[in-house]
Amino acid sequence: MPYDILISPFLEFDFMRRALVATLALALGAAPIGVILMLRRMSLMGDAMAHAILPGAAVGFLVAGLNLFAMSIGGLIAGLLVALLAGAVARATELKEDASLAAFFLVSLALGVTIVSARGTNIDLLHFLFGNVLGLDTATLMLIAAISTLSLLVLALIWRPLVLECVDPGFLRSISRAGAPVHIAFLGLVVLNLVGGFQALGTLLAVGLMMVPAVTARFWARDISTMLAVAVGVGVLSGYIGLLLSFHAGVAAGPAIILVAGALCLGSVLIGPVGGIARQLFPKQHLEA
């Protein structure tokens, strides 16, 4: 019985195996990015950038239909453009960068939905907004895997200045000029992972496997390395359980994955050893002489 419930769907159905591999790759690439965003207090930026890629993907859809390459390139260009425009406006005016991003991503979301609605069907619009993780083909799976691999390689190269910028940006500026290039490279990784997540989970849920596991990890670890491991583990577990829930209960796979991640996050808020509610209510007694 446990075999039929927990393992059999992935052995019997190719689409389930593809979806599982895709969520594994997304967790490996996106969850570490989410941890860094959280530590830099840029968590909402991921959501903003996820919406910002929609008009570019929509333009790619108009040009070439549901073509993976065209939609990915369009989404990448749109995401980077919004990030650069928001940063430029924040530096040239008195507007804060978070407010600038909020304005740009709302306009981008509205523009993308308008483009898809004008030239596509309701099914196309649902595909853009919520993705189709159970319908991934080989090319899309390879794209997600390539983005995950590239993300891990680039993170390894920029890891030390990236972490130092999280902890003490003033000190990094005083000893090195790597801050700006590292920040730009990191923004590129954010957009890349959102483009990969967009193919599987859609623009509304792409940021889910990036931020929810990262927030969950915050309640289980204090050091960054452990947070990364916990975040990746939560992402993988969410994908596995979410796909099983989708298969057996007949619910949409993408929302099921994010709901499972949300349930794990809620449980961590309640019982997490690092700042969880139970730990706050019942702190450990310190030894006294």
Side-chain angles (χ1 to χ4, degrees), residues 97-122:
E97 189 167 12
D98 59 340
S100 179
L101 267 174
F104 276 106
F105 98 76
L106 287 170
V107 172
S108 297
L109 178 62
L111 178 61
V113 171
T114 300
I115 293 173
V116 177
S117 299
R119 297 294 299 272
T121 65
N122 288 335

Side-chain angles (χ1 to χ4, degrees), residues 67-109:
N67 181 276
L68 174 65
F69 180 78
M71 291 170 59
S72 299
I73 293 298
L76 181 62
I77 293 173
L80 291 174
L81 182 61
V82 168
L84 293 174
L85 285 175
V89 170
R91 285 162 176 76
T93 67
E94 296 183 357
L95 192 66
K96 298 296 183 182
E97 189 167 12
D98 59 340
S100 179
L101 267 174
F104 276 106
F105 98 76
L106 287 170
V107 172
S108 297
L109 178 62

Side-chain angles (χ1 to χ4, degrees), residues 24-163:
L24 172 62
L26 287 173
L28 286 172
I33 302 292
V35 170
I36 300 299
L37 283 172
M38 179 185 64
L39 293 177
R40 297 178 69 175
R41 298 184 179 181
M42 298 169 62
S43 300
L44 291 179
M45 181 183 178
D47 188 51
M49 298 308 300
H51 293 82
I53 67 177
L54 182 57
V59 171
F61 168 72
L62 291 183
V63 173
L66 292 173
N67 181 276
L68 174 65
F69 180 78
M71 291 170 59
S72 299
I73 293 298
L76 181 62
I77 293 173
L80 291 174
L81 182 61
V82 168
L84 293 174
L85 285 175
V89 170
R91 285 162 176 76
T93 67
E94 296 183 357
L95 192 66
K96 298 296 183 182
E97 189 167 12
D98 59 340
S100 179
L101 267 174
F104 276 106
F105 98 76
L106 287 170
V107 172
S108 297
L109 178 62
L111 178 61
V113 171
T114 300
I115 293 173
V116 177
S117 299
R119 297 294 299 272
T121 65
N122 288 335
I123 295 177
D124 294 326
L125 182 59
L126 289 175
H127 175 80
F128 272 85
L129 294 179
F130 300 106
N132 184 16
V133 69
L134 295 180
L136 299 177
D137 56 17
T138 302
T140 306
L141 196 59
M142 294 297 293
L143 172 67
I144 294 173
I147 289 174
S148 177
T149 303
L150 179 62
S151 297
L152 294 176
L153 291 175
V154 174
L155 276 178
L157 290 174
I158 67 174
W159 182 248
R160 297 186 73 176
L162 188 61
V163 172

Side-chain angles (χ1 to χ4, degrees), residues 165-214:
E165 189 177 31
C166 293
V167 177
D168 194 346
F171 178 70
L172 178 63
R173 286 193 296 267
S174 69
I175 64 172
S176 173
R177 296 181 179 179
V182 165
H183 182 67
I184 292 173
F186 178 68
L187 289 180
L189 291 182
V190 173
V191 176
L192 267 177
N193 280 273
L194 289 174
V195 168
F198 162 78
Q199 301 293 341
L201 300 173
T203 187
L204 293 183
L205 299 176
V207 73
L209 279 180
M210 181 178 289
M211 292 313 309
V212 181

